[in-house]
Amino acid sequence: LSSAAPISPAEPISQAYSLALYMQKNTSTLLQTYLQHQGSPFSDPGFSAPELQLSSLPPAAVPFKTWHALDDGERLSRAQGAFLALTQHLQLVGDDQSDLNPGSPILLAQLGAARLRAQGLLGNMAAIMTALGLPIPPEEDTLGLVAFGASAFERKCRGYVVTREYGHWTDRAVRDLALLKAKYPA
Amino acid sequence: TMDVYFGWRHLSQVVGNKRMRMTSSFQWLLSTFILLYLMNEVNSQKKGALRDLKCVTNNLQEWDCSWKAPLGAGRGTVYEVCIEDRPRSCYRLEKTNIKIAALSPGDHEIRINSLHDLQSSMSKFILNERNVSLVPDTPKILNLSADFSTSTLHLTWNDKGSLFPYHSNVIWEIKILRKESMELVKLATYNTTLSGKDAVRHWSWTSDMPLECATHHVGIRRYIDCPHFSGRKEWSDWSPMKNISWTPDSQTKVFPQDKVILVGSDITFCCVSQEKVLLAQIGHKNCPLIQLDGGNVAIEIHNISVSANSGTNVVFTTEDNMFGTVVFAGYPPDSPQKLNCETHDLKEIICSWNPGRPTALVGPRNTSYTLFESFSGKYVKFKRVEALTNESYQLLFQMLPNQEMYNFTLNARNPLGRSASTILVNITERVSPHAPTSFKVKDINSTAVTLSWHLPGNFAKIYLLCEIEINKANSIQESRNVTVKGVENSSYLVAVDKLNPYTVYTFRIRCSTETFWKWSKWSNERKHLTTEAIPSKGPDTWREWSSDGKNLIIYWKPLPINEANGKILSYNVSCSSNEETQSLSEIPDPQHKAEIQLDKNDYIISVVAKNSVGSSPPSKIASMEIPNDDLKVEQAVGIGKKILLTWHHNPNMTCDYVIKWCNSSRSDPCLMDWKKVPSNTTETIIESDQFRPGIRYNFFLYGCRNQGYQLLRSITGYIEELAPIVAPNFTVEDTSADSILVKWEDIPVEELRGFLRGYLFYFEKGERDTSKMRGLESGRSDIKVKNITDISQKTLRIADLQGKTSYHLVLRAYTDGGMGPEKSMFVVTKENSVGLIIAILIPVGVAVLVGIVTSILCYRKREWIKETFYPDIPNPENCKALQFQKSVCEGSSALKTLEMNPCTPNNVEVLETRSTVPKIEDTEIMSPVAERPEGHSEAEPGNHVAVSYCPPIIEEELPDPAVDEAGGTAQVIYIDVQSMYQPQAKPEEEQDSDPVAGAGYKPQMRLPINSAAEATAVGDDVDKTAGYRPQANVNTWHLVSPDSPRSTDSNSEIVSFGSPCSINSRQFLIPPKDEDSPKSNGGGWSFTNFFQNKPND
């Protein structure tokens, strides 16, 4: 923990910010691709089901005031936790879809790519936290035992929530990192 | 009140439900029975007797009989029941019913005494089994359970079979009611046979509605059809109802989940919800809601269509949530198509198939395949590969030692069903080997090689059939089949013979088994050059003596590749006679000719070709030429590119015939090529790429005898004759007034290009630059043609021509190949002197006659003339000068004389031309006119002034209307002399001047003779020509003539008359004569012209 001090946080923040921006470009494509493969009503134009949530995945939506008031450690650890959950959920969704849509390599590839990017962002955030001298939260299994035995419809909904929240969390991460970037200029 | 309520409810339901007709009729019977019973009771009371003995049984062993007590009977009444035909069978009892053991069939009398208050009454009944009712006990449901995942109800109960005779049939009736409102959804019958023992019966039913969404009630009753019982059989009562309902235990709200169904079937989905469901949809389609108990709803889907990979979504939407499920509509697996099992190596069997119709089910629902082999009992499972869609699937099955027959069953299965295909194979007959590898070629000798290859596989027990493909350049592909004994994973060797030495072959090989199934793929190709062998024949040889006869030139042809058997390195040539042998050895290959100086001419020449392996057998030829005296040169023409030569059989010729040929224009010894044909042939076709059309070749046929060759025939020929490319050179040898002698030369052979067949000679009247000359072939009648077929003729005289006329002569040669070009010439025949003399004499005679007549008239009328023309006192009225004034005032008649003016320039030009270009005229008469208009027009600047091509008669051209416009000459005279009269008189003057001016004219008359002679003698020096000088004189004479006092011209006389007067006087003087005399004179003039101008028509 003490070794973190000499590294400047600006560089990992900048890297993480670039990655988050890059991810942001692909999130809507991922969501659209995902929905197109699930059949109606998911694939209907303008489909949206905000009521669907996953208890194992923290929602990205947060009141602006609360978000703004977060300190660096809190901000980073929430994002860290969310992306940790997202990587695990994206893995789960990938498995679900290889059962439901085994003949759609594009969808499976996009889900795999999103998972790898989320993992990359996790690494970048860990570097920022190290640079800032913050404790890195331990990895934990966010999915637990609930994941198995879900019906096909639940899997489709779950995948929808995960890909949607992946987009929301990426948007939030871009803003989080922009804030930090401004705070720790190079 | 609750009971009542339920009772009403129940009745109303019974009435309302048509399906419960059985139940309702039963109840109607019951109520009728009660009514009858009451009436009977009333009657009995009156009689005081027992009534209505009634017996029922529930097990056939024991009858329960009951009766109605009489009126007034109450407690304490004792009944004595006696069965008459049964010993000791009286029973005392205080009840109104009795259980008796079943009676045998038939009528039985029953007596019942009732004892009450010491009163007794007795009743008698006849009891028969037929009057007994069989009403089985009410069945009891042992268990009712539900499999919610499959929406199946399982019902169990005990059939109590031990109570009834063995083999009694039982009909069970089961009713299923749904929802709290107990809607009947199923009334099922189930037949069983009793086994004599108690047995637990099972019955299952699958609901179309998922069991989770509505409570289901089940009841059962039975009917026993006992064959030996003759009484009435009745349904038992319904068992107590049991029901199944679902207690929510998970998040799931919509049922069924993840169901796989057949495309086109019907299905009901339902949703368990506390909230109000607003909308239900499957895919895009909204569905009408069916309300169930509570907030639950259901939808029915009919004829479902095929799903996408991820299934069809069914979604129920509430105010603030959505619930859903996925259904997978697909097809059961098609039976695997084109199942085929074969092996590449007899180690592993590959079975492949086509899945047939797609099932539309993927992932875990996809079809699984198992390949089962029934003789060995072994099987392999197919690992799902998603990428494969409708391609061929395949499975590998390890071969079993010592098993050749395999009976494969391929089972296909998915959640909707299964299918199978079978195939029975003898695997040794289904071998499709891999492509042979390590394919190599090795030499054995020059005509045989060894092929070796490797073939992986366990072929030890079978024979392989292999096909070897042998390709040789420019040859038909050859295939040979070989059978080899199979070995285990090894190489194979086979020898291929009957090949040609020193030849490039391409080999490749493929294999199958002796019991053919399929060829393997071809191996790689291998190119191989077989080794050399000694040349199989000596070269084709010919010899020619040099022109001086001292040297013998030996020719031979290179051996064709199939006889050379290798690369020919050199040749050995030897000439041997009885005494000596000369040799030339090691002549390197590209040289195919040798020259040897020989003393005499009787040698045997032998030529041997050598390659790296050895020498060919020698080819021998005798050097001697046997003379032949009677030799003619014949002609032959080929067909196409070939020429056919035939000859008569000559028994003296023992070895062969040789035809040699060469281009006729080459000098001796000439040899282009030769051809040998066997001695028994009498014809041959000579063919060569070197032959060209239009070239003359000489062919020589030699016959071979022991001592040497004898020239038998000499033939000149063409492969194809062409038209000559030049015209024969011809000249005019002699010209007379009516004939021309033409002479020509031979055309050289090279330019003739065929056998000369003759000449065509055309002639016609014509001059060089008139366009009429063109087109000799157009068949104009005035062209005369002579066809000269005697080709030895070299001259031609053309007779019957007109004198002093230009002729156009054309000569061309022709062959069978066509007409050669033309050469043309213009020649003028000499003047016809007799006609000329006549033409001169007549006008002179006429002039003299007119003069004499005039003189006589003048003499006789001299007084009148004097009065009229020369009076002593002139009459002013007769003066022409005054009339002249008047005429001027009157009009233009006087001006006519001036109209001659426009012609002046022509006259000037003609005069200049003559003085400057005499040379041109002369050369032109000589120049050949082979060239046609084009050439002519080029030469025009030079020729321009040479209006006439007949200078010898040039002054005769002057009167020619085309040239003279004769006023021209007159105009000059007019100007010089200032005589207004001259132009008018001009034609006459000219006509007249011809005969009169004899002195001026004479040289001209001589001129044609001189010029013709000089023309042939190439008279270029024109200055000397006598014909020209007089022309200048003529001009002078013309100029001078009007004033000349010497003139005897009649016009001159008129001039002398008219000279004092003005120009107008002429019109008065001889108006009629002036009109006539030119005409008559013109006749004389045109008579002369006749010779000259007619060609110009």
Side-chain angles (χ1 to χ4, degrees):
Chain A
L1 288 170
S2 58
S3 66
I7 307 166
S8 157
E11 194 186 334
I13 289 172
S14 173
Q15 279 181 0
Y17 180 67
S18 301
L19 177 59
L21 276 181
Y22 177 65
M23 286 161 69
Q24 202 176 22
K25 286 179 189 163
N26 296 305
T27 54
S28 67
T29 309
L30 173 66
L31 182 58
Q32 287 312 311
T33 308
Y34 178 84
L35 288 176
Q36 274 163 23
H37 282 85
Q38 309 311 316
S40 181
F42 298 98
S43 58
D44 295 348
F47 171 81
S48 169
E51 67 274 16
L52 293 179
Q53 292 290 342
L54 275 178
S55 57
S56 51
L57 199 61
V62 62
F64 179 74
K65 246 186 154 178
T66 318
W67 173 77
H68 209 263
L70 291 173
D71 62 26
D72 293 348
E74 190 84 2
R75 185 185 306 283
L76 283 167
S77 72
R78 284 197 187 184
Q80 174 95 5
F83 276 96
L84 183 62
L86 279 170
T87 55
Q88 293 170 8
H89 279 82
L90 283 168
Q91 176 77 64
L92 178 69
V93 173
D95 291 354
D96 289 345
Q97 290 301 314
S98 59
D99 265 3
L100 286 167
N101 286 299
S104 307
I106 294 171
L107 171 63
L108 301 179
Q110 286 189 12
L111 285 168
R115 185 168 61 82
L116 288 175
R117 287 172 196 149
Q119 274 176 343
L121 193 62
L122 272 180
N124 284 347
M125 286 180 175
I128 298 169
M129 290 167 98
T130 311
L132 293 174
L134 297 166
I136 298 166
E139 281 203 17
E140 53 191 29
D141 186 358
T142 55
L143 284 168
L145 296 174
V146 295
F148 308 104
S151 70
F153 191 77
E154 284 167 333
R155 293 172 190 215
K156 288 181 178 184
C157 292
R158 179 162 76 191
Y160 161 66
V161 176
V162 171
T163 48
R164 184 191 67 195
E165 290 304 312
Y166 173 73
H168 291 169
W169 267 110
T170 304
D171 293 343
R172 181 167 160 178
V174 168
R175 298 201 62 181
D176 282 338
L177 291 163
L179 201 83
L180 288 173
K181 212 175 169 217
K183 195 168 170 186
Y184 299 99
Chain B
T1 54
M2 282 296 274
D3 286 349
V4 170
Y5 170 80
F6 274 117
W8 276 113
R9 182 85 187 255
H10 183 72
L11 273 174
S12 70
Q13 183 188 340
V14 166
V15 171
N17 195 330
K18 287 177 183 173
R19 281 184 292 179
M20 299 189 72
R21 205 173 291 146
M22 285 278 279
T23 321
S24 83
S25 60
F26 174 76
Q27 289 189 349
W28 181 82
L29 276 173
L30 205 68
S31 52
T32 313
F33 179 77
I34 291 165
L35 196 67
L36 283 172
Y37 169 78
L38 289 172
M39 286 168 69
N40 207 354
E41 194 171 32
V42 170
N43 291 339
S44 302
Q45 268 180 333
K46 282 177 183 172
K47 289 176 185 171
L50 290 172
R51 295 162 293 130
D52 294 347
L53 178 71
K54 201 173 167 304
C55 296
V56 294
T57 176
N58 61 5
N59 56 9
L60 303 178
Q61 311 292 321
E62 195 179 54
W63 293 359
D64 185 0
C65 297
S66 60
W67 58 91
K68 297 282 182 205
L71 285 173
R75 288 191 181 277
T77 307
V78 174
Y79 300 95
E80 190 183 49
V81 180
C82 290
I83 302 165
E84 290 297 302
D85 56 353
R86 192 181 275 187
R88 298 184 306 278
S89 59
C90 287
Y91 311 92
R92 288 179 73 86
L93 40 89
E94 291 182 4
K95 305 180 289 182
T96 57
N97 72 323
I98 183 172
K99 289 185 175 170
I100 57 171
L103 297 173
S104 58
D107 289 348
H108 299 273
E109 191 179 280
I110 308 288
R111 269 190 298 112
I112 302 175
N113 268 330
S114 63
L115 304 168
H116 179 62
D117 297 339
L118 299 176
Q119 284 184 357
S120 130
S121 67
M122 188 164 79
S123 302
K124 277 187 184 173
F125 300 93
I126 300 299
L127 186 60
N128 191 314
E129 194 187 62
R130 279 195 293 265
N131 306 121
V132 178
S133 297
L134 170 62
V135 181
D137 286 338
T138 303
K140 227 172 102 181
I141 292 170
L142 283 181
N143 186 32
L144 175 66
S145 63
D147 180 354
F148 287 102
S149 64
T150 58
S151 297
T152 304
L153 289 174
H154 298 288
L155 183 68
T156 56
W157 67 96
N158 193 321
D159 69 354
K160 300 272 165 98
S162 58
L163 298 179
F164 293 95
Y166 183 60
H167 272 174
S168 292
N169 291 322
V170 186
I171 302 171
W172 305 92
E173 193 169 57
I174 303 154
K175 61 178 177 183
I176 294 166
L177 311 171
R178 185 177 288 163
K179 302 204 290 188
E180 288 168 11
S181 55
M182 295 285 207
E183 291 170 22
L184 181 70
V185 290
K186 183 74 183 177
L187 187 65
T189 55
Y190 176 57
N191 295 332
T192 62
T193 305
L194 298 179
S195 61
K197 289 183 205 162
D198 286 2
V200 174
R201 295 287 171 181
H202 298 266
W203 183 79
S204 296
W205 174 72
T206 302
S207 170
D208 56 341
M209 171 80 74
L211 300 177
E212 291 92 341
C213 298
T215 309
H216 286 74
H217 310 266
V218 181
I220 187 168
R221 64 176 181 169
R222 63 176 167 175
Y223 174 93
I224 295 175
D225 182 18
C226 187
H228 308 296
F229 179 67
S230 57
R232 214 170 65 221
K233 295 155 199 165
E234 294 178 13
W235 281 101
S236 74
D237 286 338
W238 284 104
S239 70
M241 290 299 205
K242 287 219 170 198
N243 66 50
I244 283 287
S245 59
W246 180 69
T247 43
D249 61 345
S250 73
Q251 300 281 328
T252 311
K253 302 268 190 171
V254 179
F255 303 94
Q257 286 285 339
D258 299 355
K259 193 160 173 89
V260 181
I261 62 165
L262 183 65
V263 171
S265 52
D266 301 341
I267 185 170
T268 303
F269 295 96
C270 66
C271 177
V272 176
S273 170
Q274 308 306 314
E275 308 158 64
K276 183 172 168 54
V277 174
L278 302 173
L279 182 68
Q281 59 185 127
I282 178 164
H284 294 286
K285 208 168 69 183
N286 288 354
C287 302
L289 294 171
I290 300 164
Q291 295 295 335
L292 302 174
D293 294 331
N296 297 0
V297 292
I299 56 171
E300 282 177 358
I301 309 296
H302 299 286
N303 191 13
I304 192 164
S305 51
V306 68
S307 297
N309 279 355
S310 64
T312 305
N313 301 315
V314 178
V315 176
F316 292 87
T317 311
T318 62
E319 187 77 40
D320 53 3
N321 212 337
M322 62 181 269
F323 309 105
T325 184
V326 178
V327 62
F328 300 92
Y331 297 96
D334 204 350
S335 42
Q337 325 232 310
K338 298 178 188 165
L339 176 61
N340 177 37
C341 294
E342 62 181 30
T343 180
H344 293 317
D345 51 12
L346 283 176
K347 290 176 177 172
E348 208 171 44
I349 300 171
I350 299 168
C351 291
S352 58
W353 69 93
N354 188 308
R357 180 190 59 190
T359 61
L361 301 176
V362 296
R365 298 161 292 280
N366 203 350
T367 309
S368 64
Y369 292 97
T370 308
L371 184 67
F372 177 70
E373 202 286 301
S374 63
F375 296 134
S376 61
K378 296 199 168 179
Y379 64 89
V380 284
K381 284 189 169 178
F382 179 71
K383 295 250 168 52
R384 185 152 51 94
V385 182
E386 296 298 348
L388 285 173
T389 51
N390 211 7
E391 294 162 35
S392 191
Y393 287 43
Q394 65 178 34
L395 262 176
L396 302 183
F397 188 90
Q398 293 302 318
M399 267 184 62
L400 303 163
N402 302 320
Q403 184 176 342
E404 288 187 354
M405 297 300 297
Y406 291 84
N407 186 13
F408 287 110
T409 303
L410 181 70
N411 291 304
R413 148 188 262 189
N414 77 1
L416 292 176
R418 57 179 65 195
S419 63
S421 290
T422 59
I423 185 172
L424 175 68
V425 292
N426 180 345
I427 202 63
T428 60
E429 293 171 0
R430 299 290 185 101
V431 183
S432 158
H434 289 294
T437 55
S438 312
F439 184 52
K440 285 172 192 149
V441 187
K442 276 185 183 166
D443 285 315
I444 298 175
N445 57 39
S446 61
T447 60
V449 294
T450 306
L451 302 183
S452 68
W453 67 92
H454 182 80
L455 199 60
N458 182 11
F459 302 119
K461 289 179 184 168
I462 59 169
Y463 282 88
L464 293 174
L465 172 71
C466 294
E467 183 183 11
I468 301 163
E469 192 182 275
I470 304 168
N471 272 310
K472 191 167 70 172
N474 306 322
S475 170
I476 302 165
Q477 171 181 308
E478 187 189 346
S479 283
R480 296 189 198 174
N481 284 350
V482 291
T483 305
V484 290
K485 172 100 179 67
V487 287
E488 169 109 36
N489 277 336
S490 183
S491 293
Y492 298 83
L493 275 180
V494 74
V496 177
D497 57 359
K498 293 177 191 160
L499 301 175
N500 293 334
Y502 197 61
T503 306
V504 175
Y505 285 95
T506 306
F507 298 96
R508 59 177 187 166
I509 190 166
R510 61 179 179 178
C511 290
S512 177
T513 54
E514 216 174 19
T515 54
F516 181 81
W517 167 242
K518 277 179 187 173
W519 284 117
S520 69
K521 285 182 180 159
W522 286 104
S523 69
N524 290 335
E525 289 189 344
R526 285 275 173 264
K527 266 196 177 156
H528 187 78
L529 174 65
T530 49
T531 55
E532 294 190 9
I534 58 165
S536 57
K537 274 187 182 174
D540 186 1
T541 310
W542 183 243
R543 83 289 176 280
E544 289 278 316
W545 284 96
S546 61
S547 43
D548 60 1
K550 287 180 180 170
N551 289 355
L552 186 68
I553 307 163
I554 300 140
Y555 298 92
W556 60 93
K557 294 181 185 175
L559 283 170
I561 188 76
N562 59 338
E563 289 173 358
N565 288 345
K567 181 170 166 45
I568 299 297
L569 302 172
S570 62
Y571 299 93
N572 285 357
V573 179
S574 65
C575 301
S576 53
S577 66
N578 294 336
E579 298 103 46
E580 56 159 350
T581 298
Q582 285 191 47
S583 302
L584 293 172
S585 53
E586 302 295 321
I587 299 166
D589 170 56
Q591 188 180 333
H592 297 116
K593 178 180 163 186
E595 194 162 348
I596 296 183
Q597 190 176 2
L598 296 174
D599 298 336
K600 43 182 209 158
N601 67 359
D602 188 8
Y603 285 87
I604 297 294
I605 298 121
S606 85
V607 180
V608 163
K610 286 167 77 178
N611 65 13
S612 67
V613 181
S615 300
S616 69
S619 58
K620 297 191 174 176
I621 187 166
S623 69
M624 186 156 45
E625 296 241 357
I626 302 160
N628 188 347
D629 297 334
D630 54 339
L631 199 62
K632 285 187 295 182
V633 177
E634 301 159 53
Q635 289 187 347
V637 176
I639 302 155
K641 282 222 145 191
K642 303 163 184 177
I643 191 157
L644 174 70
L645 300 182
T646 58
W647 59 91
H648 296 294
H649 179 67
N650 187 337
N652 294 334
M653 302 307 151
T654 49
C655 12
D656 52 19
Y657 290 99
V658 172
I659 301 100
K660 73 154 199 175
W661 61 90
C662 73
N663 189 326
S664 72
S665 59
R666 303 260 182 85
S667 59
D668 282 339
C670 165
L671 177 67
M672 269 173 71
D673 202 353
W674 71 91
K675 182 179 180 182
K676 282 186 180 168
V677 293
S679 58
N680 57 359
T681 51
T682 58
E683 63 170 39
T684 187
I685 291 172
I686 309 288
E687 207 174 350
S688 168
D689 289 341
Q690 294 173 310
F691 285 150
R692 298 282 176 269
I695 304 287
R696 181 177 293 185
Y697 297 99
N698 292 333
F699 298 87
F700 301 97
L701 173 69
Y702 289 87
C704 170
R705 295 177 164 192
N706 285 341
Q707 309 95 321
Y709 283 91
Q710 184 175 31
L711 179 58
L712 301 177
R713 289 174 70 188
S714 172
I715 297 143
T716 303
Y718 287 91
I719 288 307
E720 185 188 346
E721 286 186 272
L722 299 178
I725 47 169
V726 296
N729 240 341
F730 78 103
T731 52
V732 175
E733 199 82 335
D734 185 26
T735 319
S736 68
D738 62 351
S739 71
I740 298 170
L741 178 64
V742 176
K743 183 182 181 187
W744 59 89
E745 297 163 11
D746 278 335
I747 299 175
V749 164
E750 290 81 9
E751 290 167 330
L752 198 54
R753 305 202 298 167
F755 294 116
L756 179 67
R757 298 299 179 202
Y759 300 96
L760 283 180
F761 191 89
Y762 309 82
F763 62 99
E764 58 171 341
K765 282 181 195 166
E767 295 178 16
R768 185 157 304 154
D769 54 342
T770 39
S771 59
K772 290 180 194 168
M773 287 297 109
R774 323 301 174 215
L776 281 175
E777 279 83 19
S778 58
R780 282 166 35 222
S781 58
D782 56 343
I783 299 177
K784 297 196 177 80
V785 183
K786 281 189 192 289
N787 187 357
I788 301 143
T789 51
D790 177 7
I791 57 168
S792 60
Q793 186 179 338
K794 292 287 181 279
T795 58
L796 176 70
R797 175 170 292 279
I798 312 156
D800 299 333
L801 302 179
Q802 292 172 356
K804 215 165 191 189
T805 304
S806 174
Y807 279 93
H808 181 206
L809 311 180
V810 174
L811 182 62
R812 60 200 311 198
Y814 62 91
T815 67
D816 284 345
M819 294 283 180
E822 301 163 2
K823 176 162 277 186
S824 69
M825 187 184 279
F826 293 89
V827 175
V828 179
T829 51
K830 289 179 182 171
E831 191 161 6
N832 186 335
S833 47
V834 176
L836 200 63
I837 289 164
I838 293 170
I840 294 168
L841 287 182
I842 289 175
V844 169
V846 170
V848 168
L849 198 64
V850 168
I852 291 166
V853 169
T854 309
S855 302
I856 292 168
L857 282 175
C858 289
Y859 178 74
R860 290 214 179 155
K861 299 281 182 181
R862 59 189 180 271
E863 288 301 319
W864 176 81
I865 291 169
K866 192 175 184 308
E867 279 295 308
T868 309
F869 297 105
Y870 298 99
D872 294 335
I873 303 161
N875 186 354
E877 281 186 15
N878 287 341
C879 181
K880 297 299 186 261
L882 294 176
Q883 283 188 357
F884 174 73
Q885 293 291 339
K886 205 175 173 184
S887 297
V888 168
C889 297
E890 277 172 358
S892 62
S893 59
L895 295 176
K896 280 179 185 172
T897 51
L898 296 175
E899 285 174 6
M900 298 299 186
N901 280 338
C903 301
T904 306
N906 283 352
N907 186 45
V908 171
E909 188 178 13
V910 171
L911 288 171
E912 283 171 355
T913 301
R914 272 173 213 132
S915 60
T916 52
V917 223
K919 276 188 182 177
I920 293 169
E921 286 159 353
D922 275 354
T923 50
E924 284 212 356
I925 194 171
M926 301 310 298
S927 67
V929 199
E931 71 276 27
R932 295 299 223 116
E934 298 83 13
H936 205 87
S937 68
E938 282 167 20
E940 205 159 11
N943 291 345
H944 169 64
V945 285
V947 183
S948 166
Y949 37 81
C950 26
I953 47 169
I954 195 76
E955 77 266 30
E956 278 159 22
E957 284 183 280
L958 285 174
D960 185 316
V963 181
D964 69 0
E965 257 322 84
T969 26
Q971 183 76 6
V972 173
I973 295 163
Y974 169 76
I975 291 163
D976 286 353
V977 176
Q978 309 266 319
S979 164
M980 302 299 278
Y981 188 66
Q982 195 60 36
Q984 281 291 334
K986 174 231 97 193
E988 293 158 336
E989 166 206 285
E990 276 198 5
Q991 261 54 278
D992 294 346
S993 69
D994 286 343
V996 175
Y1001 206 67
K1002 233 178 257 172
Q1004 279 202 311
M1005 291 176 64
R1006 284 196 301 269
L1007 177 64
I1009 303 154
N1010 292 342
S1011 72
E1014 276 181 27
T1016 48
V1018 194
D1020 259 3
D1021 50 347
V1022 192
D1023 297 309
K1024 291 188 276 178
T1025 51
Y1028 209 69
R1029 236 176 316 145
Q1031 283 198 308
N1033 291 341
V1034 169
N1035 285 334
T1036 331
W1037 175 75
H1038 270 292
L1039 292 169
V1040 175
S1041 64
D1043 272 317
S1044 170
R1046 297 169 288 159
S1047 168
T1048 52
D1049 195 317
S1050 64
N1051 281 336
S1052 300
E1053 285 174 317
I1054 293 167
V1055 167
S1056 69
F1057 284 125
S1059 60
C1061 201
S1062 63
I1063 37 164
N1064 285 345
S1065 65
R1066 152 190 72 103
Q1067 291 178 324
F1068 286 94
L1069 265 178
I1070 16 176
K1073 281 178 185 171
D1074 262 3
E1075 300 301 323
D1076 292 341
S1077 64
K1079 276 181 187 168
S1080 62
N1081 288 350
W1085 171 81
S1086 63
F1087 179 71
T1088 323
N1089 264 0
F1090 176 73
F1091 300 98
Q1092 196 175 350
N1093 289 350
K1094 198 159 190 192
N1096 289 345
D1097 289 349

